Amino acid sequence: FWIFIFYFFLKGILFLIRESKDYFNIEKFIQNLLITSSLVLTFGILGSMSSIINFFNFYIFGQNKRGMKSLASVDGNTWRGFASSAEFIGEFYALCLLFTIYFYIKNYKRINLPDLLMVLLCIFGLYKTNNFAAISSLFVFSLILLLNNKYNFSLNRQSMIIIFGVL
């Protein structure tokens, strides 16, 4: 049963990618990622400053647990804001940053001020989550993107498998 479910899931994803690739706007996608990460961080900070806003975050957004009650990290370790998991939200912030870095490097664009402010908020959120795996992966993949773009540096299949295995 699960083999069929997995097969049809993959076929559906491939169909969706094939049918929508002409209509996908990467710039709008990056903009939405930055807005989303900034809003998640902002609501997390507001919720940690006020217990009423924390309750409304929990109630309106339908979360499974209440947000952090303060801006301080838990035992000096992680801060999750109003997300349900610090690891997940750290990976989300890192993914937003990676897509943004990729977009601006690939298109040789200068970052505008609103995007820069949202990137800084995303970096602050990643810092507060203290997710070392996401930070190190972001650093390695950003370095690979920079080297590939500047020096036409490319990795063979074995090197990529080793890097993915280590990370």
Side-chain angles (χ1 to χ4, degrees):
F1 174 75
W2 286 108
I3 292 173
F4 289 122
I5 295 293
F6 186 70
Y7 173 75
F8 287 128
F9 175 75
L10 285 180
K11 290 292 276 185
I13 293 293
L14 291 175
F15 173 78
L16 189 63
I17 291 170
R18 199 172 39 249
E19 293 296 318
S20 65
K21 70 181 174 186
D22 295 334
Y23 305 106
F24 184 71
N25 185 351
I26 187 74
E27 191 167 357
K28 190 164 189 88
F29 179 71
I30 299 297
Q31 190 71 32
N32 287 335
L33 277 177
L34 288 174
I35 291 170
T36 303
S37 64
S38 299
L39 286 175
V40 167
L41 180 70
T42 304
F43 281 121
I45 290 173
L46 290 175
S48 67
M49 296 169 98
S50 168
S51 60
I52 294 170
I53 295 175
N54 195 353
F55 172 74
F56 282 120
N57 282 346
F58 173 73
Y59 187 73
I60 291 172
F61 294 115
Q63 298 174 313
N64 59 355
K65 64 166 92 167
R66 294 201 42 188
M68 302 287 289
K69 295 181 191 221
S70 72
L71 196 56
S73 298
V74 177
D75 296 328
N77 191 9
T78 61
W79 182 79
R80 60 181 172 82
F82 96 111
S84 60
S85 166
E87 292 80 16
F88 165 74
I89 201 65
E91 291 162 1
F92 176 71
Y93 289 137
L95 197 63
C96 290
L97 289 169
L98 184 65
F99 279 136
T100 304
I101 290 168
Y102 175 76
F103 174 73
Y104 280 104
I105 286 175
K106 239 6 185 179
N107 295 323
Y108 297 103
K109 290 184 83 173
R110 294 194 69 181
I111 191 164
N112 54 17
L113 186 61
D115 286 351
L116 180 63
L117 293 175
M118 288 187 280
V119 164
L120 291 175
L121 284 174
C122 198
I123 289 171
F124 177 72
L126 181 60
Y127 166 73
K128 288 300 282 180
T129 61
N130 199 20
N131 190 337
F132 180 72
I135 293 170
S136 61
S137 297
L138 175 66
F139 177 74
V140 167
F141 288 126
S142 298
L143 186 65
I144 289 171
L145 284 172
L146 284 169
L147 290 174
N148 188 21
N149 195 46
K150 182 127 180 134
Y151 301 111
N152 203 8
F153 172 78
S154 62
L155 296 172
N156 59 13
R157 181 176 282 171
Q158 290 175 331
S159 300
M160 290 299 281
I161 291 172
I162 291 170
I163 289 173
F164 285 126
V166 168
L167 295 176

